[in-house]
Amino acid sequence: MIIVKGIGASPGIAIGTAYVLEDDEIVVKRVEIRPQLLRAEVKRFRDAHKATMRDLDTAEAKVLKFLGKEHAKLIHAHRLISSDILITKDVPLRIMKEGVNAEFALSEAIEAVAQQFEKMDDEFFRERRHDLLDVAKRLLSHLLKKSRRTISAPAADSILIARNLLPSDTLNLHGTRVLGFATDLGGKTSHTAILAQSLCIPAVVGLSEASRQVKNGDSLIIDGRSGLLIIHPGLDVLEKYKQLQEKERIEEKSLDVLRGLPAVTMDGKTIHLGVNLDSLEEIKTVATLAPDGVGLFRTEYLFLNRPTPPGEQEQTKIYSGVLKGLDPKPVVVRTADLGGDRLAALGVSAGQDEANPFMGLRGVRLFLRHPDIFKIQLRAILRAASKGGYARILIPMVSSLGEILSVKNLIEQSRAELKKESIAVPEKIELGIMIEIPSAALMLDVFLPHLDFISIGTNDLIQYLLAVDRINEQVAHLYDSFHPAVLRFLKMIIDSAHAQGKRVGVCGEMAADLKAVPLLIGLGVDELSVPVRLHLRVKQLVRSLNQESLKEIVSQALAASESEGARKILSRECL
Ligand code: PEP
Ligand code: MG
């Protein structure tokens, strides 16, 4: 039996067998081909090329049928690149002249052109570079007879083991029989971890080298709460975990009595306790929980795993469904926070290949660069609001006043357009921003007159304040929500908003951290929005707290010079 300690990313216990995912990186080796075999090598390349063209034909026909001509253009561009002589002629020529394998000749040919595209100071050509690399990937996967990574069909009751899982991969796990996953990379507040919680999949991340120790079919246990991966567990350990699994199930069930009750502290302070909606699959569960609203609807997931972004009609339908489902409670629709580790095919150059994607073209920055795509989403939210329900709009990754004013301008443009189309958009839709970049926190007094509410995104705020990448397991120990700087910053934000009579919500993972909830309540937070799965647990805790005494305890914790001190004060007093 081997026990590997990582970072608990999504609670719960999974017992199953290993399904090891190959890394999707395709490494190309240079292999010398004997002269008499060169023609066969060229033929191998031509066969792969034909198969790629067939793939693209099928994809184009599918997109044409389901999404229309406009969207099929993207695939058509890939077909044109694939038929370009740089691929059809140059690669066979390189194989023959240099006496090398097809993969190597292909990657050399592609690299040469990609570099030329990279140098061009023109967005159109830079975008073509992505298309070129995508085509190359398709060709390579045929040459290597290795499919592009999809995780749609792991065996039943399996536990996925991978070096890394992207949020888009994790979304794909829904509806499969995957019981849990463990990855070498990743941190506790990575989007992959958050999605795993939403999909109720126990997960451990940041295991460093664990994926190398596991083979397909190995018997495994994932302990998502303690962050453990157990390989080849002994019978006694298996038995212990089965019992623990049952205990957790009973505990969860006992929380059912709290459904529909208010999240009010012992001394009468009502906390607006909403849920975070990360995937549409959760909507059914949300309705049965009867929360105070949706405090964060992460709409970016609607844009992943598809060749083109969702259109206005499609988005309207989804938002309207959620708004009506929660009516009359508020639903905070956050405009898509794409970029960082959540990359979508937008049909425009959209932040791919950045050296520091989390500090790059992400959230509102990306959408203000592409106002047409942004407006489709804003129009869809306004349209949905005209059909009933209570919509609020939230903007991610704001760092300056100019961004707020630009968004307001686009909202007004969209409203005017819809009015012309005789759509009865409500006169007032509340607008808020995520406070997740330190500059926004520091400028809050200037921003607030333009806003109706704010929501603190602690996941990003902590990463940007402490300069600790939230998905990097190497620095996970430095990602500390009790760091004195975090405590002081939160106090400053909350006091600043209250001074102008604005409500403050927290929608980052800290709002669902049972150790941090007393801190947030003592600091005076008005709203918490938490993963669906933890909603009742947080409610139970809130109902056991006393805000007045917490205010006093928190003022002591704020004086601590190290996080340990603050933690100790809070845990001593809150027990
Ligand atoms: C946050 O940053 O705290 C947040 C809620 O947004 P996300 O996790 O989607 O970045
Ligand atoms: Mg964020």
Side-chain angles (χ1 to χ4, degrees):
M1 181 169 80
I2 307 170
I3 301 179
V4 199
K5 174 94 181 94
I7 301 165
S10 173
I13 290 158
I15 302 174
T17 39
Y19 181 97
V20 182
L21 276 185
E22 295 281 327
D23 216 335
D24 93 328
E25 193 107 354
I26 299 178
V27 182
V28 174
K29 270 202 301 211
R30 185 180 198 280
V31 181
E32 301 227 337
I33 306 288
R34 279 182 285 148
Q36 61 273 35
L37 297 177
L38 283 174
R39 284 196 181 284
E41 190 64 7
V42 170
K43 178 168 182 317
R44 195 167 73 82
F45 170 73
R46 293 209 194 284
D47 289 345
H49 185 257
K50 274 187 208 145
T52 303
M53 293 304 275
R54 273 199 303 274
D55 282 358
L56 289 170
D57 283 349
T58 318
E60 192 177 10
K62 242 192 203 165
V63 173
L64 201 60
K65 183 164 171 211
F66 293 110
L67 297 168
K69 223 165 157 182
E70 209 33 49
H71 294 147
K73 275 187 189 160
L74 190 86
I75 314 277
H76 189 68
H78 285 195
R79 286 191 57 218
L80 288 180
I81 292 173
S82 307
S83 353
D84 194 283
I85 51 166
L86 114 90
I87 287 181
T88 55
K89 295 251 160 52
D90 194 20
V91 178
L93 215 67
R94 280 176 190 262
I95 297 174
M96 295 303 289
K97 257 170 82 181
E98 293 173 37
V100 289
N101 54 327
E103 292 86 342
F104 188 75
L106 173 69
S107 66
E108 279 213 318
I110 296 283
E111 193 48 36
V113 185
Q115 272 179 15
Q116 294 302 319
F117 278 2
E118 185 76 321
K119 280 190 207 140
M120 291 184 201
D121 193 22
D122 181 318
E123 190 156 346
F124 175 80
F125 282 105
R126 276 206 306 271
E127 178 54 21
R128 297 288 74 76
R129 181 178 176 271
H130 293 300
D131 293 342
L132 188 70
L133 294 179
D134 211 80
V135 166
K137 212 168 164 189
R138 276 181 190 274
L139 268 162
L140 273 176
S141 64
H142 276 294
L143 278 170
L144 297 169
K145 300 254 180 299
K146 218 180 190 181
S147 63
R148 285 152 69 89
R149 193 168 87 183
T150 56
I151 43 180
S152 52
D157 300 338
S158 53
I159 290 177
L160 275 192
I161 300 289
R163 175 129 187 86
N164 192 20
L165 274 187
L166 293 175
S168 48
D169 295 328
T170 314
L171 263 188
N172 278 342
L173 295 181
H174 180 76
T176 65
R177 297 281 305 277
V178 168
L179 300 174
F181 68 79
T183 61
D184 293 347
L185 307 184
K188 195 176 177 55
T189 61
S190 65
H191 295 119
T192 293
I194 295 169
L195 270 174
Q197 282 184 30
S198 303
L199 300 171
C200 294
I201 302 174
V204 178
V205 299
L207 284 157
S208 292
E209 300 269 286
S211 67
R212 302 206 184 147
Q213 301 188 45
V214 181
K215 282 188 292 307
N216 263 325
D218 279 356
S219 151
L220 299 177
I221 296 177
I222 298 265
D223 178 346
R225 199 172 300 280
S226 317
L228 300 179
L229 168 70
I230 305 173
I231 310 167
H232 300 307
L235 280 179
D236 50 336
V237 174
L238 256 177
E239 194 44 45
K240 186 186 121 196
Y241 270 98
K242 280 184 185 158
Q243 283 171 14
L244 215 58
Q245 219 173 12
E246 182 57 12
K247 197 171 149 229
E248 283 193 358
R249 201 188 57 75
I250 293 169
E251 260 175 36
E252 203 119 307
K253 194 90 195 85
S254 72
L255 295 173
D256 275 353
V257 291
L258 295 169
R259 284 173 200 261
L261 295 183
V264 56
T265 62
M266 307 259 275
D267 55 336
K269 161 87 180 171
T270 302
I271 301 293
H272 183 281
L273 185 59
V275 290
N276 293 349
L277 200 61
D278 296 322
S279 72
L280 293 175
E281 283 74 29
E282 291 173 301
I283 293 176
K284 280 176 244 127
T285 331
V286 169
T288 65
L289 273 181
D292 295 326
V294 169
L296 173 66
F297 180 4
R298 287 183 165 101
T299 60
E300 49 277 6
Y301 295 120
L302 307 176
F303 290 69
L304 302 191
N305 295 331
R306 49 186 297 156
T308 52
E312 186 171 321
Q313 243 186 358
E314 181 181 341
Q315 289 191 51
T316 306
K317 208 166 152 204
I318 293 166
Y319 306 147
S320 175
V322 179
L323 288 175
K324 285 186 181 158
L326 267 285
D327 194 24
K329 294 177 181 156
V331 174
V332 178
V333 185
R334 183 173 76 181
T335 58
D337 184 7
L338 292 164
D341 57 353
R342 297 181 286 209
L343 297 180
L346 294 179
V348 289
S349 171
Q352 276 94 341
D353 289 347
E354 292 174 300
N356 287 308
F358 272 99
M359 294 214 260
L361 213 48
R362 180 185 166 194
V364 74
R365 303 170 176 186
L366 175 64
F367 266 17
L368 285 177
R369 178 76 67 91
H370 300 287
D372 291 354
I373 304 174
F374 195 6
K375 263 177 71 184
I376 292 175
Q377 179 162 41
L378 293 173
R379 281 174 55 104
I381 301 172
L382 296 182
R383 239 179 220 279
S386 75
K387 295 171 190 278
Y390 179 179
R392 298 165 109 192
I393 299 179
L394 180 65
I395 309 297
M397 283 294 284
V398 171
S399 61
S400 72
L401 179 62
E403 288 162 340
I404 299 174
L405 299 179
S406 303
V407 172
K408 286 189 112 164
N409 192 16
L410 287 176
I411 293 179
E412 281 325 306
Q413 275 179 32
S414 309
R415 181 195 297 281
E417 286 167 13
L418 289 169
K419 264 193 170 166
K420 271 199 190 144
E421 295 167 36
S422 306
I423 311 280
V425 182
E427 270 319 308
K428 167 89 187 146
I429 295 203
E430 290 164 39
L431 178 71
I433 60 167
M434 297 280 295
I435 301 296
E436 47 193 355
I437 299 183
S439 60
L442 287 164
M443 293 300 291
L444 205 50
D445 58 327
V446 177
F447 292 1
L448 281 165
H450 304 274
L451 302 169
D452 299 297
F453 68 98
I454 58 164
S455 188
I456 308 178
T458 48
N459 302 339
D460 279 314
L461 188 67
I462 296 170
Q463 99 162 328
Y464 296 130
L465 183 63
L466 303 182
V468 178
D469 184 347
R470 66 192 264 193
I471 62 171
N472 182 347
E473 72 290 348
Q474 304 288 342
V475 285
H477 61 291
L478 298 175
Y479 189 100
D480 182 358
S481 30
F482 282 78
H483 191 295
V486 174
L487 305 198
R488 288 180 189 200
F489 222 53
L490 289 173
K491 179 168 168 46
M492 181 193 79
I493 296 166
I494 295 162
D495 290 351
S496 170
H498 284 170
Q500 292 196 32
K502 302 280 159 79
R503 288 175 71 78
V504 183
V506 176
C507 62
E509 295 312 286
M510 204 170 163
D513 174 348
L514 301 185
K515 294 206 173 79
V517 170
L519 168 73
L520 296 175
I521 303 228
L523 282 169
V525 159
D526 308 290
E527 305 186 2
L528 296 174
S529 190
V530 301
V532 171
R533 183 153 190 212
L534 296 170
H535 185 257
L536 294 178
R537 217 173 266 277
V538 174
K539 188 188 282 185
Q540 183 189 43
L541 174 61
V542 170
R543 288 171 65 90
S544 72
L545 299 173
N546 183 310
Q547 194 198 28
E548 279 312 311
S549 50
L550 277 174
K551 279 186 183 162
E552 173 50 34
I553 296 163
V554 166
S555 67
Q556 289 170 31
L558 275 163
S561 51
E562 282 189 278
S563 62
E564 256 335 286
R567 275 179 202 276
K568 267 195 196 131
I569 293 168
L570 273 155
S571 63
R572 192 176 61 223
E573 301 292 340
C574 292
L575 279 177

